Amino acid sequence: MNDDTIIEVKNLKTFFYTNQRCNKAINGVSFKIQKGKTLCIVGESGCGKSVTAASIMGLLPRLSRIEEGEINYHSKQHGHLRIDQLEQNGPTMRSIRGGEVAMIFQDPMTALNPVYTVGSQISENLKYHTKLTRKKIKLKTIDLLSNMGIPIPEQRAKEYPHQFSGGMRQRAMIGMAMSCNPQVLIADEPTTALDVTIQAQIFELMDTLKKDHDTAILLITHDMGVVTELADDVAVMYMGNIVESGTIVDVLRSPAHPYTKALLKSIPILGKGKTQELEPIKGSTPDPYDRPKGCQFHPRCEFATDKCQEVPVDEKISDSHSVMCWHYREVLNNG
């Protein structure tokens, strides 16, 4: 890993096993997360985005396991580690999770414990990962809530998650995640079901935290609009594969995969009004237990040929832009 790379994922394969069947949820994914940068993983529901985050955090559910690949992490405390080789609940993994590598979950109501106050849950994280005194932990907890834009933080710290609005719960979750100034922040659909004003405020908070602490952010989303606002780099995921990756400029200006191109065509553009024609992606995602041969997208692809029955190789378009598609030149020429 170079000096700026915090986490490097190499050929990750995470499979789920149910009723003697295997779902290859992640099937050969590789990417890097770098200091002070935001990498967005984007794709439809069920493509493997959240499983990727769970693999990094060591939070995979039962009946699932990492079959192949590496997750390399450069820890401040422990030096170079392979997360995929650590026990999920081992002491080293526990010392990293929530401290150096933190996560904002999709639904804060299920991530926060309903029987403990919000303040006590933030304090517990600080108690475990820092050597602060009880008095300083209490002050920092209130300070974190205040920095997240939560009014009357002294009172709010004594309240329970159900007494917070959706936006305030998410802010509290961000505060908890950032309480130990993590090297890496993983945000899994952090603004689901929130109104656009609160969304904008939360994204602004995340961007400020990244700039202030040089934190690397892995943002998981299905919203290409969010990607255009926040990403430095983009990885487009489909059916357990990263089909295209590159800088935000590479991917948005010159989409080389038919799936990326289809995602961009399905986004409404502000100001076009009734004149804009949105193009939905034809078909639907295949059954994960009965996948098509070769390229997973070819049953829905306008560029598909017999060649697409073979698994495409990862082609380098430039130093920062790569794609898994046999017909990427044709896709680029028809842009």
Side-chain angles (χ1 to χ4, degrees):
M1 296 194 292
N2 64 39
D3 291 341
D4 289 332
T5 301
I6 300 293
I7 290 180
E8 183 175 14
V9 176
K10 293 182 180 178
N11 195 36
L12 180 66
K13 295 184 179 182
T14 303
F15 297 171
F16 285 70
Y17 296 89
T18 54
N19 299 324
Q20 298 182 333
R21 297 196 301 170
C22 175
N23 175 8
K24 297 179 180 180
I26 305 294
N27 196 18
V29 161
S30 301
F31 59 86
K32 295 177 182 179
I33 307 173
Q34 297 183 312
K35 286 181 186 177
K37 299 280 187 180
T38 298
L39 169 66
C40 281
I41 297 182
V42 65
E44 293 172 276
S45 296
C47 71
K49 305 185 300 294
S50 295
V51 179
T52 302
S55 299
I56 294 171
M57 293 295 290
L59 293 173
L60 288 169
R62 292 177 63 235
L63 304 178
S64 65
R65 64 173 180 257
I66 295 174
E67 292 286 357
E68 288 184 40
E70 298 178 16
I71 305 171
N72 296 295
Y73 169 59
H74 188 73
S75 165
K76 280 183 179 178
Q77 183 180 352
H78 305 283
H80 179 80
L81 295 172
R82 275 189 60 178
I83 289 178
D84 56 290
Q85 292 182 337
L86 298 176
E87 291 183 25
Q88 287 194 0
N89 296 310
T92 304
M93 193 67 223
R94 283 200 302 268
S95 71
I96 293 168
R97 189 193 298 128
E100 293 187 38
V101 182
M103 185 165 178
I104 304 167
F105 294 90
Q106 188 166 349
D107 183 0
M109 197 58 194
T110 56
L112 292 169
N113 193 320
V115 300
Y116 293 101
T117 64
V118 170
S120 69
Q121 294 182 61
I122 297 174
S123 296
E124 186 66 22
N125 197 51
L126 287 166
K127 182 181 176 182
Y128 188 85
H129 292 288
T130 70
K131 295 179 180 179
L132 296 174
T133 63
R134 185 177 295 181
K135 184 177 181 180
K136 286 184 177 179
I137 285 174
K138 184 178 179 181
L139 290 171
K140 184 160 185 179
T141 298
I142 292 168
D143 194 40
L144 281 165
L145 290 174
S146 178
N147 289 342
M148 291 300 112
I150 293 175
I152 328 173
E154 296 88 349
Q155 178 184 324
R156 288 295 191 174
K158 300 172 187 176
E159 294 180 355
Y160 293 86
H162 73 270
Q163 294 174 282
F164 279 48
S165 67
M168 287 173 66
R169 280 196 295 269
Q170 198 64 288
R171 287 163 186 257
M173 278 279 296
I174 294 173
M176 190 186 304
M178 295 303 298
S179 61
C180 300
N181 296 331
Q183 290 195 101
V184 181
L185 177 65
I186 300 173
D188 185 3
E189 304 273 10
T191 58
T192 298
L194 301 181
D195 65 66
V196 290
T197 305
I198 300 298
Q199 281 187 37
Q201 290 173 354
I202 286 173
F203 287 142
E204 188 177 347
L205 281 170
M206 288 172 62
D207 200 48
T208 301
L209 292 165
K210 178 179 75 170
K211 290 172 182 173
D212 289 350
H213 300 286
D214 207 24
T215 301
I217 296 178
L218 176 63
L219 177 61
I220 293 167
T221 183
H222 63 272
D223 187 343
M224 287 298 285
V226 168
V227 174
T228 59
E229 289 292 324
L230 297 175
D232 296 298
D233 300 293
V234 185
V236 181
M237 186 173 272
Y238 185 78
M239 294 300 292
N241 297 115
I242 289 179
V243 295
E244 184 169 4
S245 62
T247 66
I248 186 71
V249 174
D250 290 333
V251 175
L252 293 189
R253 287 190 182 173
S254 305
H257 197 281
Y259 180 61
T260 310
K261 197 171 182 181
L263 280 177
L264 291 170
K265 283 184 177 179
S266 66
I267 303 171
I269 298 172
L270 190 66
K272 286 207 170 183
K274 295 179 181 178
T275 60
Q276 185 182 4
E277 292 186 16
L278 297 181
E279 298 182 26
I281 304 172
K282 70 176 185 178
S284 57
T285 52
D287 182 347
Y289 294 101
D290 185 21
R291 295 168 180 257
K293 291 180 180 179
C295 175
Q296 300 292 285
F297 189 64
H298 85 258
R300 307 172 70 183
C301 180
E302 61 180 303
F303 298 94
T305 63
D306 291 342
K307 180 71 173 173
C308 301
Q309 299 287 331
E310 300 172 26
V311 177
V313 295
D314 197 31
E315 297 274 5
K316 278 274 188 184
I317 300 171
S318 69
D319 290 342
S320 59
H321 192 185
S322 61
V323 64
M324 286 182 67
C325 179
W326 293 117
H327 305 294
Y328 75 90
R329 290 184 180 87
E330 189 180 345
V331 176
L332 287 169
N333 291 334
N334 281 270

